[in-house]
Amino acid sequence: SAVISQKPSRDICQRGTSLTIQCQVDSQVTMMFWYRQQPGQSLTLIATANQGSEATYESGFVIDKFPISRPNLTFSTLTVSNMSPEDSSIYLCSVRREGPSEQYFGPGTRLTVT
Amino acid sequence: AQKITQTQPGMFVQEKEAVTLDCTYDTSDPSYGLFWYKQPSSGEMIFLIYQGSYDQQNATEGRYSLNFQKARKSANLVISASQLGDSAMYFCAMRERERSDKLIFGTGTRLQVFP
């Protein structure tokens, strides 16, 4: 398995502000993913973050709203910009390792926007 | 078109009984993987079990087993000897190998285990 930590674990933010979420993995991984889970919903992929290249965003998500950094093979950040109450969600970092079954998730960041 | 379908929004099971959570999928990719995750109220996603499309045998992990019926495109999770701690949301997910490495999730099933 992989040990993945996320900071912060939860936060309450004012609308119009930005929050940066950090994801740290205990070993090097090529692929890191950021997912969003809105209240009572399933998980939706925001973007794929590969080290050394621009993040790839899914339909409906844009870099200006969710800028991502991937400075090395163990770390990534996701920023939620200009927040509105609709951004209230759990944000989860996920990593893919070599084996086909090896896809693990961090503990999540529970964000509430007021 | 929805790729992963979980038709049971909620399920109840008595402690020590077995329960089956349904999952059907749709893909034209011959190479794919199917996952089940457990999400307790804390929000973390806990990996339970994986089945590859070319795997000959159904996957098992302790009390979890996956009833993989390829022709029917179903990958049901069976939890044996349910425990109170099994109460959680359960998500089925699929990765299509030739398209991308992303996981596509179903809508989830909330399982409640009662004494």
Side-chain angles (χ1 to χ4, degrees):
Chain A
S1 64
V3 177
I4 307 169
S5 61
Q6 283 186 236
K7 289 182 181 179
S9 58
R10 58 176 64 228
D11 208 340
I12 301 173
C13 300
Q14 300 273 353
R15 70 171 67 208
T17 63
S18 298
L19 176 72
T20 295
I21 302 168
Q22 299 178 7
C23 177
Q24 179 75 52
V25 190
D26 65 338
S27 60
Q28 294 183 346
V29 292
T30 303
M31 307 191 74
M32 295 181 78
F33 307 86
W34 286 97
Y35 285 82
R36 181 177 76 179
Q37 186 180 26
Q38 294 178 300
Q41 304 294 315
S42 186
L43 279 74
T44 303
L45 181 66
I46 298 171
T48 302
N50 291 333
Q51 195 265 340
S53 62
E54 296 269 334
T56 302
Y57 289 82
E58 295 297 306
S59 176
F61 298 96
V62 295
I63 187 171
D64 289 347
K65 175 68 175 177
F66 297 101
I68 287 171
S69 77
R70 182 80 198 272
N72 58 52
L73 292 174
T74 63
F75 187 78
S76 178
T77 66
L78 169 76
T79 299
V80 186
S81 304
N82 188 25
M83 288 183 284
S84 67
E86 292 71 35
D87 293 320
S88 297
S89 299
I90 299 175
Y91 291 87
L92 296 117
C93 167
S94 177
V95 303
R96 168 86 191 276
R97 283 193 156 158
E98 294 304 316
S101 68
E102 297 195 82
Q103 179 121 15
Y104 305 104
F105 285 81
T109 295
R110 195 180 293 267
L111 171 63
T112 302
V113 184
T114 60
Chain B
Q2 194 166 359
K3 296 232 177 181
I4 294 285
T5 303
Q6 294 181 254
T7 57
Q8 307 155 313
M11 289 285 285
F12 288 88
V13 65
Q14 190 165 29
E15 201 176 4
K16 300 180 185 177
E17 297 293 311
V19 63
T20 297
L21 307 184
D22 295 341
C23 174
T24 58
Y25 60 92
D26 183 30
T27 181
S28 57
D29 189 338
S31 177
Y32 54 90
L34 297 157
F35 298 74
W36 277 93
Y37 289 88
K38 171 184 177 182
Q39 187 179 45
S41 57
S42 60
E44 62 185 313
M45 294 288 286
I46 302 168
F47 168 76
L48 295 179
I49 197 165
Y50 169 84
Q51 180 83 43
S53 58
Y54 294 121
D55 293 344
Q56 295 296 315
Q57 294 188 329
N58 287 345
T60 60
E61 291 283 352
R63 295 187 298 112
Y64 305 107
S65 60
L66 202 152
N67 184 2
F68 182 46
Q69 298 190 39
K70 196 169 182 177
R72 293 187 178 184
K73 293 188 175 180
S74 74
N76 299 337
L77 176 70
V78 180
I79 304 174
S80 63
S82 297
Q83 302 171 356
L84 295 178
D86 293 334
S87 294
M89 283 291 289
Y90 289 80
F91 290 96
C92 179
M94 177 176 68
R95 179 196 298 133
E96 297 171 303
R97 192 77 55 82
E98 295 182 8
R99 294 180 188 273
S100 72
D101 273 301
K102 68 180 183 183
L103 293 184
I104 302 167
F105 284 83
T107 52
T109 296
R110 180 170 298 282
L111 175 66
Q112 295 187 60
V113 181
F114 60 93

